[in-house]
Amino acid sequence: MTEVGRATVVGRVLDEPRARSFAFMLGSPRVGGATELLARRAAEGLPAEAERSWLRLSGLHHSGVEGSGPSSAALAKDDRLDGERHERLLLDATLEHTDIVVVSPLYWYSVSAQTKLYLDHWAAWMSHADLDFRGRMRGKTLWAVSTFARGQADDAEPLVGMLRRTARYLDMRWGGALLHQARSTGELADQEVAHHAAAFFSPAHAELRSH
């Protein structure tokens, strides 16, 4: 674990030059909160040619969710269709990008409910042989960006460990985790961290690390 300013960077991987594309999976129910801000600051340090996509996980639903009564049946059907379209969008982004960045605040020492649901869909996608999800994920890089309102960066070890093991299971590379404290108002505790966060994806600041 190394310190970059007052932000903490955990487990960086040194990549060879290649065409890169980053999918930022936003797992906070708060739009524009501290975790998203930290991720956007980090993204500013990416090479200009690196593609980046920002997707919110809050609209992801389980397929098959039904309404509680006749009056809500039509709405439930529409919600399910919207959920299926959103799930397909996330699936396509997950498969098409070389780098997946999980952007989630620390909730009970792990990821948010929205992020957990997104990762649960990985298991469902692996069950479809025609997708070859596991094979197509091999060699991609998984990253994490997270903020915590209380405690210290060490409290995020369960979150980091879960994502690192996920990468290992799918033969992905573990890029590392960018961790920083947030205020209860949804802002970063140290605005100066923005300068250091921009170096997160830079190979010059990376440590060669196996997963």
Side-chain angles (χ1 to χ4, degrees):
M1 194 178 285
T2 57
E3 295 293 330
V4 178
R6 291 179 60 187
T8 302
V9 178
V10 184
R12 306 297 305 283
V13 65
L14 186 62
D15 286 317
E16 71 279 6
R18 59 175 177 153
R20 304 287 295 280
S21 58
F22 290 74
F24 291 83
M25 302 300 183
L26 304 176
S28 173
R30 175 182 291 179
V31 176
T35 313
E36 180 178 341
L37 176 59
L38 185 61
R40 291 189 181 277
R41 291 294 181 269
E44 290 175 359
L46 288 172
E49 65 273 14
E51 178 187 349
R52 63 209 73 182
S53 299
W54 300 85
L55 298 97
R56 298 199 181 278
L57 302 179
S58 57
L60 182 59
H61 307 289
H62 280 300
S63 59
V65 175
E66 298 292 345
S68 57
S71 62
S72 61
L75 178 60
K77 182 178 180 180
D78 290 341
D79 284 347
R80 182 165 62 252
L81 291 175
D82 288 344
E84 289 172 354
R85 283 193 289 265
H86 191 201
E87 180 184 345
R88 185 69 206 191
L89 175 65
L90 291 175
L91 171 62
D92 290 344
T94 302
L95 293 176
E96 291 171 1
H97 290 75
T98 63
D99 294 71
I100 310 300
V101 187
V102 172
V103 183
S104 171
L106 184 66
Y107 286 162
W108 286 106
Y109 310 104
S110 189
V111 296
S112 67
Q114 293 88 344
T115 305
K116 179 59 166 59
L117 179 55
Y118 166 60
L119 294 174
D120 285 344
H121 277 276
W122 286 26
W125 295 336
M126 279 190 286
S127 69
H128 294 280
D130 57 324
L131 286 178
D132 187 26
F133 182 78
R134 186 168 185 175
R136 294 168 72 181
M137 295 298 286
R138 183 177 299 114
K140 296 180 184 291
T141 303
L142 184 64
W143 307 81
V145 177
S146 183
T147 60
F148 50 94
R150 299 178 181 84
Q152 300 177 349
D154 289 349
D155 292 327
E157 287 181 357
L159 178 152
V160 175
M162 181 268 288
L163 292 175
R164 185 191 297 117
R165 285 168 173 78
T166 299
R168 181 187 304 142
Y169 179 73
L170 291 174
D171 294 324
M172 301 174 69
R173 289 184 289 186
W174 170 242
L178 178 63
L179 311 172
H180 184 63
Q181 190 168 11
R183 302 185 189 279
S184 59
T185 55
E187 301 172 339
L188 295 173
D190 180 4
Q191 293 299 323
E192 293 298 320
V193 76
H195 171 73
H196 302 288
F200 179 55
F201 296 111
S202 172
H205 290 264
E207 299 170 356
L208 187 60
R209 181 184 178 93
S210 63
H211 61 263

